[in-house]
Amino acid sequence: MSFMRLLTQKFELPTAAEALPGRADPYRPGVRHAIFDRPLDGPRPAGCRQVLLGMGCYWGGERRFWSLPGVVLTAAGYAGGHTPNPTGAEVASGRTGHAEVVAVTYDPAVLPLAALLLHFWEGHDPTQGMRQGDDIGTQFRSLLLLPDAEDLAVAEASRADYAAALKAAGHPRAITTTLAIDTRFYLAEDYQQQHLARVPGASCTTKGCGVPARPRSASGEAVT
């Protein structure tokens, strides 16, 4: 990797050839979920689905979702890049291509994906590119990874609705969130998991644009 590439790695994603090699073995968590008391790498409950949400620092993102009715598990980790089974330090280097994400496992009969995504859009600023506030780097980009084309279509409609809401509110920037079909997820280290629940006084400054995300009506039209 060239010197100039090193200087820009916080703002440009590495290619697969430039990315760190990683390792074959996944990280095995030594803790259970601090809120749900479930294993972080256990089987998904029947009927539940998972979405990967990159919204800046995963501490605040995870806290936002673990209290929602219908969410049965959350986990902090890494996704969207090239390096298999990366460490947190490797992701922070900008040389894996991964973002910090929250894996949210939810029951769609209780919390449909479209409703869950309203909290995603409101919980961070999806217009900042490779940063969230004072957190600068590719690992803090806005990212939304779905398991299949059906969920991707729901997410694309949700993004369009929030883009329209931002425009109507006079927000000066366009959404930079990347959407893709991708289920690869790598757990972060134990001390990162449910960090704001485990560590007294810990905080996360990630915040939204202050523009409400509006649900769609029963007919499928965006509510204005």
Side-chain angles (χ1 to χ4, degrees):
M1 180 177 289
S2 69
F3 177 70
M4 288 303 297
R5 188 71 178 85
L6 285 170
L7 288 178
T8 60
Q9 67 187 24
K10 283 188 175 294
F11 304 99
E12 296 181 12
L13 291 169
T15 66
E18 293 171 328
L20 296 172
R23 55 203 49 80
D25 295 330
Y27 180 75
R28 298 297 183 188
V31 297
R32 294 171 68 87
H33 197 282
I35 307 300
F36 296 111
D37 193 28
R38 296 176 183 266
L40 295 174
D41 57 352
R44 188 180 306 165
C48 289
R49 297 177 68 80
Q50 187 177 86
V51 60
L52 305 177
L53 307 172
M55 47 197 302
C57 172
Y58 45 28
W59 293 353
E62 189 177 13
R63 178 176 60 184
R64 187 174 186 89
F65 287 96
W66 71 48
S67 61
L68 293 181
V71 171
V72 301
L73 190 68
T74 61
Y78 313 110
H82 305 293
T83 299
N85 302 301
T87 66
E90 289 172 342
V91 173
S93 77
R95 297 181 61 198
T96 69
H98 292 299
E100 291 191 10
V101 303
V102 181
V104 178
T105 303
Y106 66 100
D107 182 348
V110 179
L111 180 65
L113 177 61
L116 185 155
L117 291 178
L118 301 180
H119 298 273
F120 169 74
W121 298 118
E122 291 182 350
H124 75 302
D125 183 345
T127 71
Q128 291 193 356
M130 300 298 183
R131 68 183 299 168
Q132 277 295 301
D134 293 335
D135 292 329
I136 298 173
T138 57
Q139 75 268 32
F140 299 116
R141 70 190 187 275
S142 181
L143 182 66
L144 186 49
L145 301 178
L146 298 307
D148 55 37
E150 182 177 355
D151 280 2
L152 179 62
V154 172
E156 288 174 338
S158 182
R159 178 175 59 180
D161 290 347
Y162 198 58
L166 290 175
K167 183 177 180 179
H171 190 77
R173 297 184 300 272
I175 288 176
T176 59
T177 308
T178 299
L179 276 62
I181 296 174
D182 192 349
T183 59
R184 293 170 297 172
F185 172 71
Y186 305 102
L187 280 166
E189 295 83 351
D190 287 0
Y191 74 94
Q192 305 283 19
Q193 302 298 335
Q194 302 86 60
H195 188 84
L196 298 185
R198 298 182 192 273
V199 181
S203 64
C204 178
T205 59
T206 299
K207 61 182 180 179
C209 297
V211 177
R214 304 188 183 279
R216 288 191 166 232
S217 68
S219 65
E221 296 297 319
V223 176
T224 59

